[in-house]
Amino acid sequence: MSVILLLGSGGREHAFARALVMSVQCEQLFIAPGNAGTAMLGTNVDVSPNDFESIKAFVLENKVDLILVGPEDPLVNGVVDFFEADSLIKHIPVIGPSKMGAQLEGSKEFSKNFMKRHGVPTAAYASFTLAKLEEGYRFLETLRPPYVLKADGLAGGKGVLILDNLQEAKDELKAMLGDAKFGKAGEKVVIEEFLDGIEVSMFVLTDGKNYKILPEAKDYKRIGDGDKGLNTGGMGAVSPVPFVDESFVHKVEEQIIKPTIRGLAEEKINYIGFIFIGLMNVGGEPKVIEYNCRMGDPETEAVVPRIQNDFLALMQATASQQLDKIDFKIDPRTAATVVMVSGGYPGTFEKGYTIKNLDQVNDTIVFHAGTKMNGNDVVTNGGRVLAITSLGNSIEDAIQKSYAAAHHINYDYAYYRKDIGQDLISLVK
Ligand code: AMP
Ligand code: GLY
């Protein structure tokens, strides 16, 4: 029996929590800090995922056997290295990469250079600092529009600009490097070739030696229907994705996953955990847009419900480097996730609205993201509030169930996209 600590507080963590508590091996689950949904499955702990000293004290006091890290920032901040460096806690496995491994997400320049070193297909690029601004302008002049500019560091998904016009691209480059448009994250900027195609998120779980390819998902990043408007953390997800057939997966495995895992080993980068590969399907050829050092949100809410294995056993096999012994079982049905947000998101929004009818939906899983308890009420507590997942025998079927639930649940100023999965339905036809 195991005592588990899960770090994070979003829909992804609620999906992990639900999968973990289904295991007969799960004795107790703590979630730090969690949300109103995770509180129904385990014990929320008022500790920040970035407060490593407090996590250490908690883990020792509560005899935690395994830690699963949801979000990227504790990984980029070195939570794994913190545990390894301390003799009192170094025996406790933490599922997540080392600080160096997390640089695959933490630094665009690091990840692009890593891809180059290991021959992983990606967009052509170069990176620039303020001292090289003029060279940046010259590089932009060699590219065809649209122009892609990326702040090097973590910018909460907001550090990427795609511009149609050369002068605009030069102005934005100057704003990022000269005027700190994205703060420290933008002190270095990666300029890259635009990849034209359909995007897909692929996920790999690795124990450092072996790996498993998890179900893929399509994410819907923009706030508005038809992919219009501002970027968000993600407004919906569908898994599987129709064009990700055996031949495409084979290409991804040979050209991207194997060189990535081999590259990490060759460079002695300790990496035990999830690798999220953001891909563009460019005319049937996969090219990497980005790596993330964790699972996606809301993709996890569509992917994890399709994994039929004991999820805790999967995490334990990862920690003990025995993933090769696991026989992976995936539900063939389609999972569709619709994210309900607070009106105003990704800009400013109010919190604290009571969420009604949460327990009056059937045949669907309601994952909490930005929620908390207020007395006996569940209230909104973030931009992304709920992630509603349904399984169905077709995309239409799964989507229809999630929308029926989204329609029924309500709180003031609730908003969700109405077109999740529509693009994939037309791909199938
Ligand atoms: P990233 O933060 O790197 O995921 O970029 C955010 C979004 O910008 C991606 O999800 C893509 O939709 C888009 N994007 C990033 N890089 C490129 C590229 N080279 N070509 C086309 N679209 C891109
Ligand atoms: N849904 C995209 C992400 O988790 O980064």
Side-chain angles (χ1 to χ4, degrees), residues 219 221 233-234 276 292 294-299:
D219 179 20
K221 287 202 166 77
F276 165 161
N292 292 310
R294 48 160 177 100
M295 283 295 288
D297 192 352
E299 290 97 324

Side-chain angles (χ1 to χ4, degrees), residues 340-356:
M340 295 183 73
V341 305
S342 297
Y345 172 82
T348 51
F349 53 85
E350 303 283 331
K351 301 180 196 175
Y353 298 113
T354 300
I355 307 174
K356 297 182 204 111

Side-chain angles (χ1 to χ4, degrees), residues 9-270:
S9 62
R12 168 182 49 212
E13 286 73 26
H14 190 180
F16 279 150
R18 177 177 176 272
L20 288 167
V21 297
M22 280 184 192
S23 171
V24 290
Q25 287 296 316
C26 185
E27 183 182 339
Q28 198 169 11
L29 175 66
F30 294 106
I31 311 96
N35 59 36
T38 63
M40 293 181 232
L41 302 172
T43 308
N44 285 354
V45 183
D46 191 16
V47 168
S48 157
N50 290 303
D51 179 355
F52 301 164
E53 288 295 345
S54 298
I55 293 173
K56 172 184 169 184
F58 182 85
V59 157
L60 288 171
E61 198 179 315
N62 293 280
K63 302 194 166 42
V64 168
D65 299 301
L66 184 133
I67 301 176
L68 173 57
V69 185
E72 63 278 14
D73 26 332
L75 297 166
V76 173
N77 291 338
V79 67
V80 169
D81 309 64
F82 176 88
F83 268 69
E84 273 175 6
D86 191 322
S87 58
L88 287 178
I89 47 174
K90 70 184 299 179
H91 63 285
I92 303 168
V94 182
I95 307 293
S98 62
K99 187 171 185 163
M100 185 56 105
Q103 285 300 297
L104 283 185
E105 172 164 3
S107 163
K108 303 267 185 215
E109 187 188 38
F110 177 90
S111 82
K112 293 295 286 192
N113 288 342
F114 178 90
M115 290 184 238
K116 198 181 205 175
R117 284 196 294 280
H118 301 288
V120 173
T122 186
Y125 73 102
S127 61
F128 302 91
T129 55
L130 182 58
K132 300 268 177 69
L133 183 61
E134 285 298 326
E135 286 176 42
Y137 291 160
R138 300 290 90 75
F139 184 70
L140 282 170
E141 286 161 7
T142 68
L143 299 176
R144 272 182 307 174
Y147 304 92
V148 182
L149 305 186
K150 299 185 174 186
D152 178 58
L154 284 185
K158 298 194 177 75
V160 177
L161 297 176
I162 298 180
L163 306 152
D164 289 322
N165 173 293
L166 179 61
Q167 191 53 48
E168 226 183 329
K170 287 182 177 176
D171 292 346
E172 288 293 349
L173 181 65
K174 183 157 180 302
M176 286 163 94
L177 293 175
D179 310 330
K181 176 166 179 158
F182 294 113
K184 254 191 98 50
E187 281 176 3
K188 211 181 271 172
V189 173
V190 172
I191 302 179
E192 62 181 49
E193 168 199 8
F194 180 79
L195 299 175
D196 200 5
I198 309 179
E199 218 171 320
V200 60
S201 307
M202 305 265 311
F203 303 97
V204 178
L205 176 62
T206 178
D207 62 12
K209 286 200 296 207
N210 313 287
Y211 65 85
K212 295 282 173 196
I213 303 176
L214 275 53
E216 75 285 354
K218 173 120 193 330
D219 179 20
Y220 294 80
K221 287 202 166 77
R222 303 297 189 99
I223 187 71
D225 287 3
D227 279 328
K228 299 276 179 353
L230 293 173
N231 250 326
T232 70
M235 296 295 292
V238 175
S239 174
V241 177
F243 67 79
V244 182
D245 53 15
E246 221 172 288
S247 126
F248 189 80
V249 174
H250 182 72
K251 282 184 194 169
V252 173
E253 182 164 19
E254 293 305 316
Q255 297 171 21
I256 296 166
I257 297 174
K258 284 184 180 169
T260 299
I261 304 277
R262 204 184 308 126
L264 289 167
E266 271 171 29
E267 297 190 24
K268 302 209 170 7
I269 296 173
N270 168 13

